Amino acid sequence: MGKLVCAAAMSHVLGTPKDIEEQAERVFQGMREIGRAIRDSSPDVLVVISSDHLNNFNLGDPKPLAIATAASLQPYGDMGIPTELIRGHSEFAVGFADFVARSNSGLTLAQVDDVKPDHGVMIPLAITDPQRSIPVVPLYINTVYSDSPTPTECWQLGKLLQQYVSKHRAAEERIAILACGGLSHWLGVPEEGHVNEDWDRDFMRQLLGEVPCWVNTLTNKEILSEAGNGGLEVNAWITLAAALPRLQGEVVFYEAIPLWASGMAGVQFTV
């Protein structure tokens, strides 16, 4: 059986540090700390759970849940991100998609071999693996068009990922998982710039086992109301939480940054 060697979650944007230099530095250093932990775990594959921002998927070809199956991936290049190829892991990705299809879960995990990861994957990856040496499997949770997967479905997907890693991967294989996005933020709406810090901190306390966890019973409507349209990205965190052996860990950083229109957070989980 495979071994989960590292698990973490972090927001997937960075903004200008102008006028918020100390906050920005704490976020950046927290991201770097998480990146070092992932590299130090020496993973054979890094599963990055994130959203796409209408750069690969759209209403004409909806894929609520998708996994990148290419042996190499060319970044989309938004936000000035370099477009040099990164390594994928086809065998892991195809195997997981097939496992989900056989699971009788009712979930459909689309296999995509021509995806170009945008900032939702590439900003965390640039900090986590700046040398681009770890094979990466982007696992996409749609958060930008209807219908989006529900937290319950994301919890199901995470449980399947846990089973796939623990029961169907080679015994010597080392797997790290990084969930990206969130926390509360509103984009392109009158509330843009609002951050719901109380909701963010309560959400993290649940994922860390400090209070009873009910995140898998949330609805997307509730998330939209309390955490904003961008807050739907917490479904990536929920997917990761379900794949963990236990809900335990620590908050590496949290900063409410209205100028970045986001609650910026990073969590390192115990595996």
Side-chain angles (χ1 to χ4, degrees):
M1 58 186 225
K3 183 178 182 181
L4 178 63
V5 295
C6 195
M10 69 167 73
S11 302
H12 64 206
V13 297
L14 285 171
T16 174
K18 182 176 170 55
D19 298 326
I20 54 165
E21 287 82 2
E22 291 184 2
Q23 277 190 302
E25 184 63 17
R26 287 194 293 268
V27 168
F28 183 61
Q29 291 303 329
M31 287 180 166
R32 290 183 68 186
E33 180 179 337
I34 289 173
R36 284 192 296 270
I38 291 175
R39 293 193 302 276
D40 289 348
S41 71
S42 301
D44 298 307
V45 57
L46 172 60
V47 179
V48 179
I49 310 172
S50 191
S51 59
D52 179 70
H53 300 82
L54 292 177
N55 292 313
N56 290 279
F57 311 114
N58 55 62
L59 290 172
D61 186 21
K63 292 181 173 63
L65 298 171
I67 193 165
T69 57
S72 61
L73 301 154
Q74 183 174 36
Y76 185 76
D78 57 327
M79 295 190 173
I81 295 168
T83 58
E84 288 83 6
L85 294 177
I86 60 175
R87 296 169 62 194
H89 199 301
S90 296
E91 190 266 340
F92 184 102
V94 171
F96 182 50
D98 289 345
F99 178 71
V100 171
R102 298 192 306 268
S103 69
N104 296 317
S105 64
L107 300 178
T108 298
L109 182 59
Q111 300 182 40
V112 289
D113 62 5
D114 57 352
V115 68
K116 294 184 176 181
D118 66 11
H119 74 271
V121 170
M122 294 307 302
I123 285 181
L125 190 60
I127 295 169
T128 298
D129 183 25
Q131 301 303 315
R132 300 189 177 189
S133 61
I134 306 169
V136 176
V137 174
L139 176 58
Y140 288 100
I141 311 291
N142 164 51
T143 64
V144 296
Y145 57 82
S146 297
D147 289 327
S148 296
T150 66
T152 298
E153 290 170 329
C154 292
W155 191 268
Q156 279 184 284
L157 184 66
K159 287 298 182 186
L160 290 172
L161 181 57
Q162 180 189 56
Q163 294 169 26
Y164 179 64
V165 168
S166 65
K167 297 180 181 179
H168 297 275
R169 299 305 299 171
E172 69 279 5
E173 188 172 52
R174 301 170 64 84
I175 296 102
I177 306 176
L178 177 62
C180 308
L183 291 177
S184 66
H185 60 294
W186 284 254
L187 295 172
V189 293
E191 298 90 345
E192 183 168 332
H194 176 60
V195 175
N196 190 343
E197 181 172 350
D198 289 342
W199 190 92
D200 289 347
R201 291 192 180 277
D202 184 64
F203 178 78
M204 289 188 291
R205 282 194 292 268
Q206 291 181 59
L207 295 193
L208 296 174
E210 297 173 1
V211 296
C213 183
W214 44 261
V215 298
N216 59 316
T217 68
L218 281 170
T219 66
N220 283 336
K221 183 178 180 179
E222 290 170 323
I223 296 174
L224 285 166
S225 173
E226 296 296 325
N229 54 342
L232 284 178
E233 292 170 355
V234 302
N235 277 324
W237 294 49
I238 292 171
T239 304
L240 169 59
L244 297 171
R246 67 190 70 84
L247 296 181
Q248 187 177 343
E250 64 175 346
V251 176
V252 177
F253 67 91
Y254 179 80
E255 299 289 336
I257 305 184
L259 284 175
W260 293 1
S262 187
M264 298 293 298
V267 171
Q268 187 74 49
F269 294 97
T270 302
V271 296

